[in-house]
Amino acid sequence: MRSAAVVACLGLVLLAACDKPQPAAEVRPVRTVTTSAGSDGEPVSLTGHIHARTEESLAFRIDGRMITGHVGVGQVVRPNDLIAELDPLPQRDALHEAQARLAAADATLHEASNNMERQRTLTSKGWSTQVQYDAAERTFNTANAQLDVAKAQLHEAEDHMGYSELRADAPGVVISKNVESGEVVRAGQTIVTIAQFGGTDAVFDVPATLMRQISPDVLVTVALTDDPNIRTTGRVRETAPQADPTTQSFRVKVGLDEPPEAMRLGATVFGQTRMLGSKGIELPATALTMMDNQPAVWVVDPKSMQVSLRTVELQQEASSSIVVSKGLEPGELVVTAGVHALRPGQKVRLLGEQS
């Protein structure tokens, strides 16, 4: 009887335990972000200056004393306009000397020719020897060569006479003048610098870090720093292949499309463009975890509200963000906070979705 009573009591206890409510499965609150395709890069702005597309430094081809300068800074010049003159007296004397040498060489050749003809006649009649004729022929050949030298010297002297005048090659405006009248100049020394018409550039010194993040054919908006309403656009026309040894920046020239008249040479401008956008999916760095030594993120199933761990490939990883190149699709929910407290299949509750 007693054992039957104990069994009955145990049955009642088990029934009571079955009737007691079971604790609900844990639902962990998480923060998420909805993935989206790569966006445009961040804007970037740099300060530069307006330059002519072609700047020509004009110099004399010969040494001399500059007696006259015909242009000043800011003056507009046309092709063949006279820029400066050297003292022509040394070149004129050299020209007269070359003319005299040519006349002497011509006379020497005429005499040598007559002498060779006489020796040919005398030799043919037996009145002279072959040795004498050969000597006359050598004298004629030497005189002929000396005449060619004299002609070349005269041609050079005539060219130098023309080199005493410095003329413009193309239309433009004088932007600098380096020599004044009365100074002695060397061949190749810059006399004036001319900014030729036919194109304007905005020139910027770009840091090496930005060079890797800007597309070579990017569209650049250029505006005056003192009046941003005066603006135009352009594209990169030329990039220096080597960084400046002092600043470690690259000189970039942006060819301007129809620059406004107020955007004068030397004006300070700022250029605005965008860096290269990310081709992957950007996420906060807090979303990253590891699975089997591989980068991974927790993805939420919007229907079951359960999470699953998915391995991904990273294109870029920084202290504040990561860029996923493979493993995610746009529109998926990724956990960005509390990733280390989750387990596969766990139910979650969204605290506040970010987009």
Side-chain angles (χ1 to χ4, degrees):
M1 291 290 294
R2 186 170 181 174
S3 60
V6 172
V7 172
C9 289
L10 290 174
L12 291 173
V13 171
L14 291 174
L15 288 174
C18 293
D19 292 338
K20 186 178 180 179
Q22 298 295 320
E26 181 184 8
V27 178
R28 183 170 295 276
V30 294
R31 293 189 182 278
T32 61
V33 63
T34 302
T35 59
S36 59
S39 58
D40 293 337
E42 296 180 3
V44 60
S45 179
L46 292 172
T47 302
H49 296 86
I50 297 298
H51 290 260
R53 181 165 298 180
T54 303
E55 293 183 0
E56 182 183 25
S57 296
L58 297 184
F60 288 105
R61 300 187 185 185
I62 56 176
D63 301 341
R65 184 174 67 88
M66 195 175 86
I67 58 173
T68 308
H70 293 276
V71 297
V73 175
Q75 183 173 335
V76 175
V77 296
R78 297 181 299 274
N80 207 41
D81 277 358
L82 187 60
I83 303 298
E85 293 180 88
L86 293 178
D87 183 358
L89 184 58
Q91 280 70 46
R92 187 178 296 120
D93 290 344
L95 177 62
H96 292 162
E97 182 181 353
Q99 290 172 339
R101 282 198 299 266
L102 178 62
D106 187 56
T108 300
L109 177 63
H110 182 70
E111 180 183 358
S113 177
N114 291 338
N115 187 37
M116 185 181 67
E117 289 300 325
R118 282 196 300 271
Q119 287 295 329
R120 178 182 289 115
T121 302
L122 293 174
T123 302
S124 64
K125 294 182 179 180
W127 296 340
S128 182
T129 65
Q130 184 65 35
V131 173
Q132 290 176 314
Y133 172 76
D134 292 342
E137 187 177 29
R138 284 194 299 272
T139 301
F140 171 79
N141 292 335
T142 301
N144 194 29
Q146 289 176 342
L147 179 65
D148 292 338
V149 172
K151 289 180 179 179
Q153 290 175 340
L154 176 61
H155 180 70
E156 182 180 6
E158 290 172 343
D159 286 343
H160 281 199
M161 192 66 190
Y163 293 160
S164 63
E165 293 183 349
L166 184 62
R167 295 183 178 273
D169 297 329
V173 59
V174 179
I175 58 176
S176 69
K177 183 178 179 181
N178 303 327
V179 178
E180 297 297 334
S181 299
E183 294 187 40
V184 176
V185 299
R186 304 288 296 177
Q189 180 181 344
T190 299
I191 306 301
V192 296
T193 302
I194 295 178
Q196 294 183 1
F197 297 146
T200 305
D201 290 339
V203 181
F204 302 94
D205 292 323
V206 182
T209 53
L210 287 181
M211 287 294 295
R212 297 189 294 267
Q213 303 179 54
I214 297 178
S215 173
D217 61 347
V218 67
L219 183 67
V220 182
T221 300
V222 178
L224 289 177
T225 54
D226 57 355
D227 188 355
N229 292 323
I230 300 177
R231 60 177 53 217
T232 186
T233 58
R235 294 190 180 275
V236 175
R237 184 182 66 83
E238 180 181 311
T239 302
Q242 183 175 355
D244 183 273
T246 303
T247 63
Q248 292 301 307
S249 59
F250 291 82
R251 179 62 58 92
V252 175
K253 297 180 180 180
V254 176
L256 302 182
D257 304 324
E258 300 180 1
E261 185 177 353
M263 203 169 281
R264 300 181 181 275
L265 298 178
T268 302
V269 295
F270 64 90
Q272 291 181 320
T273 186
R274 285 186 175 274
M275 294 187 292
L276 290 171
S278 170
K279 296 181 180 180
I281 294 176
E282 186 173 356
L283 296 172
T286 54
L288 184 64
T289 185
M290 300 295 290
M291 183 177 72
D292 298 332
N293 294 325
Q294 296 292 326
V297 295
W298 288 101
V299 180
V300 180
D301 185 340
K303 295 181 179 179
S304 65
M305 296 306 293
Q306 292 179 322
V307 295
S308 59
L309 194 58
R310 186 184 302 175
T311 59
V312 294
E313 292 185 10
L314 299 183
Q315 174 183 324
Q316 181 179 338
E317 182 177 1
S319 58
S320 60
S321 64
I322 60 173
V323 177
V324 177
S325 60
K326 187 179 296 185
L328 291 175
E329 296 294 335
E332 294 188 292
L333 285 176
V334 175
V335 178
T336 61
V339 296
H340 299 295
L342 298 176
R343 64 178 185 275
Q346 184 171 11
K347 283 186 171 293
V348 295
R349 175 171 56 86
L350 307 185
L351 285 179
E353 182 184 347
Q354 304 169 12
S355 58

